[in-house]
Amino acid sequence: MNYSEFLRMIPEAILVAILIIVFIADFATSKKLDRKWFNPLVCCLMAVQLVACFIPQEPVTAFGGMYVTTAAVNVMKTILSMGTLVVLIMSRTWLYGKEANSHQLVSKSSEGEFYMLVVSTLLGMYMMISAGHFLMFYLGLEMASVPMACLVALDKFRNNSAEAAAKYILTAVFSSGVMLFGISFLYGATGNLYFYGGSINHVAGLGDMLTATPLTIMGLVFFFSGLGFKISLVPFHFWTADTYQGAPTVVTGYLSVVSKGAAAFALMTILMKVFAPMVEYWQYLLYIVVVLSITIANLFAIRQSELKRFMAFSSISQAGYIMLAVIGDNALGVAALSYYVLVYVAANLAVFAVISVVEQNNGGVTQMSAYNGFYKTNPKLSLLMTLALFSLAGIPPFAGMFSKFFVFMAALEVRESGNFLPYLVVFIALINTVLSLYYYLLIVKAMYIKDSDSPLPTIKSDGSTRLALAVCTLGIVAFGVVSCVYNWIFAAGA
């Protein structure tokens, strides 16, 4: 093995360097001291890593095709880094708030562990989407999943955080086993686990070897089921609401956007590249799962009165819209999925930033009824919350409308002529968009119309929260009207 090939993995190498720096800073600094410089240090390091991701890189391979990166992969890494940076900025309020000092939330002794776990999960996601081999993909997936379970359980002074982590890790273990079972079927049918072949590794790739046999079809179903747990697609979604509710709000935001976006992109890549000879099978599978995810999640979201559970079902529905872009099996689908994830990161993190700051100033309450009359005491936060919810619902002129438009267009670009099912699926998705608007407006109604005898007091946000909300709001407004953003993503995926 030539160790110089590690130098081709520049984004991953920078993340490893950040991990080492954070570990040394945490270890060498007394935890009894006031370390309010720690969060800005980590954010600056992640900003450097984000700038490095923006630098155009030629497609490279390493370790005989085990690691493969393209322009589309680099774009997704940039989006994931953006979301992670916003989460780290948001976390300062949680880590240094009054609740943390009173040991009702995470203790300061866990601050360094929080940063290292976040960067570790991001490193695993990078390896997952750059994998050119199923074993490398599985290692990256576990690198992202195990630290994520620790993040969910980091709120160790509350019992429901431990419960949420237990449910998450149990479903993660089960889904990983199901996925490995499916991968073993593929290996048994072909004797190969490489995604790509030809000049990359001088062997045939799975995309050139797979045929639709009972063994490979079962492998496809088991693999899709295992990764469906990670994306929380219906019917693999049962862990989502309890985990989102029990996890710290900042971690819930990270889990709902960054982790979901990486898994969705990896699934799209494998379906299009590895299972290309079996496209008619996984397309029909996607038709069913997308319709179920969007419809069932919307119906259950209407019944929720707790905001984090509400956002859990919202994220399940959004996962269905994300996977809608894969149906078309074309370059437009790659660009539409990446663009949707980018817009979803901005809108969803804006919602969780508001939930987090309200939770910090309201004794940990996240019930929707607590937001009754919220506009009278906190008009600015109410406005930003409304903009984010409108973007999630797909209301023009916000970026969410454009992202939904592009995934609908990608789904309709099916190569098989005369197939009416994509039109039916898109029609059902459009109907569900109206339904989602109804339940998003329930929060808006609570903030602007419903009265409360004891509304939430006026909240004075700190600088970190204002910065995170400003970045997210800028993305909600600008990503939809600045065409160069989508053109950049489309050019990378073409």
Side-chain angles (χ1 to χ4, degrees):
M1 182 176 65
N2 187 359
Y3 289 97
S4 64
E5 292 188 313
F6 281 111
L7 298 177
R8 302 181 185 179
M9 305 164 61
I10 296 177
E12 289 80 5
I14 297 177
L15 285 181
V16 172
I18 293 175
L19 270 175
I20 295 173
I21 294 172
V22 172
F23 175 76
I24 294 175
D26 183 53
F27 182 76
T29 307
S30 174
K31 294 180 173 63
K32 295 181 180 180
L33 297 178
D34 187 4
R35 301 193 303 173
K36 293 191 175 181
W37 53 267
F38 205 176
N39 182 269
L41 171 65
V42 179
C43 291
C44 289
L45 292 173
M46 278 303 305
V48 172
Q49 198 272 342
L50 178 60
V51 172
C53 288
F54 268 113
I55 299 174
Q57 299 177 15
E58 293 294 328
V60 296
T61 62
F63 305 107
M66 297 283 285
Y67 174 91
V68 179
T69 184
T70 62
V73 171
N74 287 331
V75 167
M76 180 51 64
K77 289 180 180 179
T78 304
I79 295 172
L80 298 180
S81 294
M82 287 181 185
T84 304
L85 179 57
V86 174
V87 168
L88 291 175
I89 295 173
M90 288 168 49
S91 68
R92 182 179 175 86
T93 304
W94 172 54
L95 292 169
Y96 295 101
K98 296 179 180 179
E99 299 286 343
N101 293 336
S102 62
H103 296 288
Q104 295 178 20
L105 292 177
V106 65
S107 63
K108 285 187 175 181
S109 62
S110 301
E111 182 187 4
E113 291 140 10
F114 171 77
Y115 298 137
M116 285 184 280
L117 288 170
V118 169
V119 177
S120 297
T121 57
L122 184 62
L123 178 61
M125 294 172 201
Y126 273 23
M127 300 302 295
M128 182 173 63
I129 64 178
S130 289
H133 190 277
F134 265 119
L135 290 183
M136 177 66 77
F137 168 80
Y138 179 75
L139 289 174
L141 185 65
E142 293 306 301
M143 285 175 62
S145 298
V146 176
M148 185 63 75
C150 299
L151 284 172
V152 173
L154 200 62
D155 207 347
K156 52 192 175 186
F157 297 103
R158 294 196 312 192
N159 291 330
N160 56 351
S161 182
E163 178 187 350
K167 291 178 179 178
Y168 177 80
I169 196 65
L170 285 174
T171 54
V173 168
F174 178 74
S175 63
S176 296
V178 171
M179 183 186 303
L180 279 178
F181 196 38
I183 293 173
S184 69
F185 282 176
L186 300 177
Y187 183 75
T190 62
N192 185 20
L193 290 177
Y194 280 98
F195 296 171
Y196 311 96
S199 59
I200 293 179
N201 47 36
H202 306 292
V203 297
L206 280 171
D208 302 320
M209 302 174 66
L210 283 179
T211 56
T213 63
L215 191 62
T216 57
I217 292 174
M218 288 299 295
L220 167 63
V221 171
F222 280 124
F223 173 78
F224 185 91
S225 300
L227 205 52
F229 276 101
K230 310 297 183 183
I231 310 175
S232 62
L233 295 169
V234 174
F236 318 110
H237 67 290
F238 294 102
W239 61 273
T240 311
D242 290 334
T243 300
Y244 279 34
Q245 182 181 8
T249 303
V250 173
V251 176
T252 303
Y254 183 70
L255 179 62
S256 68
V257 291
V258 181
S259 178
K260 190 183 298 290
F265 185 86
L267 179 58
M268 175 194 66
T269 302
I270 293 174
L271 289 178
M272 289 185 175
K273 302 298 183 182
V274 177
F275 292 104
M278 304 168 61
V279 60
E280 66 274 11
Y281 293 93
W282 60 257
Q283 274 185 340
Y284 284 106
L285 186 61
L286 273 179
Y287 294 149
I288 298 171
V289 170
V290 165
V291 171
L292 289 177
S293 298
I294 296 174
T295 306
I296 292 178
N298 283 346
L299 293 176
F300 275 87
I302 296 174
R303 303 177 56 192
Q304 304 306 312
S305 59
E306 205 275 340
L307 265 183
K308 290 168 73 174
R309 293 184 71 88
F310 173 91
M311 292 305 298
F313 287 103
S314 168
S315 73
I316 296 170
S317 175
Q318 297 292 341
Y321 283 107
I322 291 173
M323 296 312 299
L324 194 63
V326 186
I327 291 177
D329 187 27
N330 50 41
L332 180 59
V334 177
L337 185 144
S338 301
Y339 181 71
Y340 198 104
V341 171
L342 174 63
V343 173
Y344 180 56
V345 165
N348 218 48
L349 287 182
V351 173
F352 277 106
V354 175
I355 294 175
S356 179
V357 71
V358 171
E359 183 183 18
Q360 294 294 309
N361 291 271
N362 194 37
V365 175
T366 56
Q367 294 293 322
M368 193 181 300
S369 59
Y371 288 76
N372 292 346
F374 189 57
Y375 174 76
K376 294 181 180 179
T377 54
N378 296 274
K380 293 181 180 179
L381 288 177
S382 299
L383 176 61
L384 296 180
M385 183 79 149
T386 303
L387 296 181
L389 292 171
F390 281 177
S391 182
L392 289 174
I395 296 178
F398 305 108
M401 186 274 289
F402 295 94
S403 63
K404 281 187 168 58
F405 172 78
F406 287 125
V407 297
F408 291 157
M409 290 298 297
L412 295 176
E413 292 288 332
V414 177
R415 298 176 184 178
E416 180 183 354
S417 60
N419 188 358
F420 73 95
L421 284 177
Y423 296 91
L424 178 61
V425 173
V426 170
F427 176 75
I428 296 174
L430 284 170
I431 297 299
N432 275 279
T433 301
V434 179
L435 185 60
S436 67
L437 175 61
Y438 168 75
Y439 65 75
Y440 285 127
L441 285 176
L442 292 177
I443 304 177
V444 178
K445 177 183 177 182
M447 293 189 298
Y448 288 89
I449 298 177
K450 287 189 175 181
D451 292 325
S452 175
D453 296 333
S454 55
L456 291 173
T458 301
I459 298 172
K460 186 176 181 180
S461 305
D462 64 334
S464 298
T465 301
R466 290 197 294 269
L467 177 59
L469 284 171
V471 172
C472 292
T473 305
L474 179 63
I476 292 169
V477 176
F479 290 155
V481 296
V482 180
S483 60
C484 63
V485 176
Y486 178 78
N487 292 337
W488 165 62
I489 296 175
F490 183 80

